[in-house]
Amino acid sequence: MSEKRTIGILGGAGQEGSGLAVRWAAAGHDVLIGSRDRARAETAAAELTALLPGGTIRGVDNAEAAHAAEIVVLTVPYAVQQATALAAAESLRGKILIDVTAPLAPPKVGTVQLPAGGSAVVALQQALGPDVTVVAAFQNISAHHLRDLDHVMDCDVLVSTDSAEAAEAVIALVADAGMKGWHAGPLANSAAAEALTSVMITLNRKYKISGAGIRITGGAGH
Amino acid sequence: MSEKRTIGILGGAGQEGSGLAVRWAAAGHDVLIGSRDRARAETAAAELTALLPGGTIRGVDNAEAAHAAEIVVLTVPYAVQQATALAAAESLRGKILIDVTAPLAPPKVGTVQLPAGGSAVVALQQALGPDVTVVAAFQNISAHHLRDLDHVMDCDVLVSTDSAEAAEAVIALVADAGMKGWHAGPLANSAAAEALTSVMITLNRKYKISGAGIRITGGAGH
């Protein structure tokens, strides 16, 4: 694993947050999953801890997860993305916030419908201001495969951020979760990964794939 | 190969159009490359024909390429995308127009800068009206590998269109060019592939890749 981190996952009782929690805890990180409802987080944490070969995932409320963590991860539906992050804004200062949000617009979640400005994550960075280093990642992974530690993740992760240092830290966490991360450019490039989420949903439906993802080709080793 | 087609490539003297021309002519299609400058198209066509194991690529002007073809392909810079297609609009009626345009905004071509509305190809469809079936494809392939017929293309192609019939025809042409095509959803989903173009440019630079592409994972055979 990379340097041991304390990671707080806001919305971590949901499917994607839970999956990341399992992978990172199994890799040796100290993981807290947060929820609006502390009891729900505690229940989920107990279930996820049972999947681990060792160690513990703790369930807390979102405020405590943000406060206690060195690196915070936002895994909530788009509708509450900004509200959830802004409620924790004081605790996020000086930290990396990994935002996995894709701006899906139900009911047509298979159709790309990017917000004005092009990226939901860029909009969050603007709302939080420069004291928080927002990094976009993990939008295109198959959440239900994550919590199965025996499943080899067959996809890459695009990491978009304006900070080279944050890119390095997040790419290390991608590796700890069993995938290859690529620094895909500035935070604005998150628009590509956000839009791809709807494409992946479409491919899952049209081609009966259980969890479509992407790999980058053309590089060394290919 | 799929059903033999007459394919006209507007801007076909450029790198991507030339590469597609070589692949499709080698697969047995009848290919015309068009240019604003007919002499330039004729010179390029002669050079490309020399790369073929047999057959001929013809060089004409864009107007003739659009007029003579059953399926038209638009491979010009974003700055002249609409003007080039609109100049040929009468010839495009009732046909499929494959648009490979990515809305790159120099000098920052590695940064996603989608147009208002999200997609340059959707904007073109709106400008051309419903008589032309616009299909977005081929935005994320490595053009300089295409014309080398010995090079096995290591990437997939996202095909975005509102027409299931057009998707089928274009996916067959993707296969004839040596790649796997996926119907990625409605034309609006072109925004994902358009945005990915800047990500691919960034990855080529950051990771010294000669032609980054993507493959879809999670499907049968993976």
Side-chain angles (χ1 to χ4, degrees):
Chain A
M1 65 174 280
S2 59
E3 182 186 346
K4 180 172 177 168
R5 304 280 197 177
T6 300
I7 303 170
I9 306 178
L10 311 188
Q15 195 176 43
E16 184 157 13
S18 290
L20 290 170
V22 167
R23 294 271 167 170
W24 285 327
H29 295 291
D30 195 10
V31 180
L32 298 93
I33 60 171
S35 172
R36 276 179 308 178
D37 174 357
R38 189 185 180 105
R40 185 170 172 242
E42 288 171 347
T43 302
E47 289 170 10
L48 297 173
T49 296
L51 301 174
L52 297 175
T56 306
I57 293 169
R58 285 180 284 161
V60 294
D61 59 22
N62 281 334
E64 186 175 338
H67 181 73
E70 300 167 69
I71 293 182
V72 182
V73 186
L74 184 62
T75 63
V76 297
Y78 177 45
V80 294
Q81 174 213 24
Q82 289 223 4
T84 305
L86 290 171
E90 281 303 314
S91 295
L92 298 176
R93 283 172 177 270
K95 297 180 183 173
I96 290 171
L97 175 66
I98 303 174
D99 189 357
V100 310
T101 303
L104 301 179
K108 292 194 169 183
V109 295
T111 298
V112 176
Q113 298 174 79
L114 294 175
S119 161
V121 184
V122 169
L124 180 63
Q125 175 74 76
Q126 287 163 352
L128 287 169
D131 290 347
V132 184
T133 303
V134 178
V135 178
F138 299 111
Q139 299 98 331
N140 304 311
I141 62 175
S142 171
H144 72 280
H145 284 148
L146 274 177
R147 68 159 74 192
D148 175 6
L149 289 170
D150 292 329
H151 184 90
V152 177
M153 297 300 293
D154 183 21
C155 63
D156 290 351
V157 171
L158 298 176
V159 175
S160 301
T161 169
D162 300 332
S163 160
E165 193 182 354
E168 195 178 336
V170 174
I171 286 169
L173 290 179
V174 174
D176 290 337
M179 292 166 284
K180 180 170 174 58
W182 298 82
H183 188 185
L187 192 64
N189 286 8
S190 172
E194 293 174 38
L196 267 178
T197 305
S198 292
V199 171
M200 297 297 121
I201 290 170
T202 293
L203 295 178
N204 285 340
R205 289 175 179 168
K206 275 191 194 290
Y207 296 93
K208 317 287 184 210
I209 299 174
S210 71
I214 63 163
R215 278 208 191 267
I216 301 301
T217 62
H222 289 278
Chain B
M1 67 174 278
S2 59
E3 182 185 347
K4 180 173 178 166
R5 305 279 196 177
T6 301
I7 304 169
I9 306 178
L10 311 187
Q15 196 176 43
E16 185 156 14
S18 290
L20 290 169
V22 167
R23 294 271 167 170
W24 284 328
H29 294 291
D30 195 10
V31 180
L32 299 93
I33 60 172
S35 171
R36 278 178 307 177
D37 174 358
R38 188 185 181 103
R40 183 169 173 241
E42 288 172 346
T43 303
E47 289 171 11
L48 297 173
T49 295
L51 301 174
L52 297 175
T56 306
I57 292 169
R58 286 180 284 160
V60 294
D61 61 23
N62 282 333
E64 185 176 338
H67 181 73
E70 301 167 69
I71 293 182
V72 182
V73 186
L74 184 62
T75 62
V76 297
Y78 177 46
V80 296
Q81 174 214 23
Q82 289 223 3
T84 305
L86 290 170
E90 280 304 314
S91 296
L92 298 177
R93 282 172 178 269
K95 298 180 183 174
I96 290 171
L97 175 66
I98 303 174
D99 188 355
V100 309
T101 304
L104 301 179
K108 290 193 170 183
V109 295
T111 298
V112 176
Q113 298 173 80
L114 294 176
S119 161
V121 184
V122 168
L124 179 62
Q125 176 74 76
Q126 286 162 353
L128 287 168
D131 290 347
V132 184
T133 303
V134 179
V135 178
F138 298 111
Q139 300 98 331
N140 304 310
I141 61 176
S142 172
H144 72 281
H145 284 147
L146 273 176
R147 68 159 74 193
D148 175 6
L149 288 170
D150 292 329
H151 183 89
V152 177
M153 297 299 293
D154 182 20
C155 63
D156 289 351
V157 171
L158 298 175
V159 175
S160 301
T161 169
D162 300 332
S163 161
E165 193 182 356
E168 195 177 338
V170 174
I171 286 170
L173 290 179
V174 174
D176 290 338
M179 292 166 284
K180 179 170 175 57
W182 298 82
H183 188 185
L187 193 64
N189 286 7
S190 171
E194 293 174 37
L196 266 179
T197 305
S198 291
V199 170
M200 296 299 121
I201 291 169
T202 293
L203 295 179
N204 285 341
R205 289 174 178 169
K206 276 191 196 288
Y207 295 94
K208 317 287 185 213
I209 299 174
S210 72
I214 63 163
R215 278 209 190 267
I216 301 301
T217 63
H222 288 279

